[in-house]
């Protein structure tokens, strides 16, 4: 519903979703920011679980548009997979 309001019928050709369990993502945020959290990062874990489910549901509904990647991979692995898909999408 929010997407429909925000973008109407306009949709990107490719959406890249780097998926990571919320507890791992939050641990990374804590490590990166010396434990300083913004308003969103202070939300309960259930909030992040619901957001993740929402994005994964969108990806499941439009599998041709979404590239879902495992966020626990190295940056190099993610970069390779992203460029492969971007290249295929542009040709």
């Amino acid at each position: 519903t929010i997407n429909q309001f925000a973008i109407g019928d306009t949709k990107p050709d490719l959406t890249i979703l780097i998926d990571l369990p919320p507890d791992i993502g939050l641990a990374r945020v804590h490590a990166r920011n010396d434990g300083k959290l913004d308003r969103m990062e202070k939300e309960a874990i259930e909030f992040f679980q619901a957001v993740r489910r929402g994005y994964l549901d969108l990806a499941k509904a439009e599998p041709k548009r979404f590239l879902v990647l495992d966020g626990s991979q190295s940056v190099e692995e993610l970069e390779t997979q992203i460029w492969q898909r971007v290249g295929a999408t542009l040709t």
Side-chain angles (χ1 to χ4, degrees):
T1 302
I2 291 173
N3 278 344
Q4 181 64 35
F5 172 76
I7 62 175
D9 293 331
T10 304
K11 289 188 180 181
D13 293 327
L14 175 63
T15 300
I16 300 168
L17 174 58
I18 301 175
D19 181 39
L20 193 67
D23 55 328
I24 295 172
L26 287 172
R28 290 181 180 182
V29 169
H30 282 274
R32 179 179 62 229
N33 295 334
D34 295 324
K36 296 176 188 167
L37 305 177
D38 66 22
R39 183 185 66 79
M40 291 290 289
E41 295 162 344
K42 291 178 183 177
E43 290 288 339
I45 192 76
E46 293 81 12
F47 168 79
F48 296 103
Q49 290 166 337
V51 170
R52 180 184 187 210
R53 276 191 307 274
Y55 278 110
L56 291 173
D57 286 346
L58 284 172
K60 193 176 191 178
E62 297 185 60
K64 291 183 181 185
R65 179 169 69 99
F66 276 82
L67 171 62
V68 181
L69 299 174
D70 178 357
S72 67
Q73 298 178 88
S74 72
V75 171
E76 294 78 18
E77 291 170 320
L78 290 168
E79 179 183 20
T80 297
Q81 293 173 47
I82 290 168
W83 280 115
Q84 285 174 348
R85 181 65 180 272
V86 167
T89 301
L90 293 176
T91 57

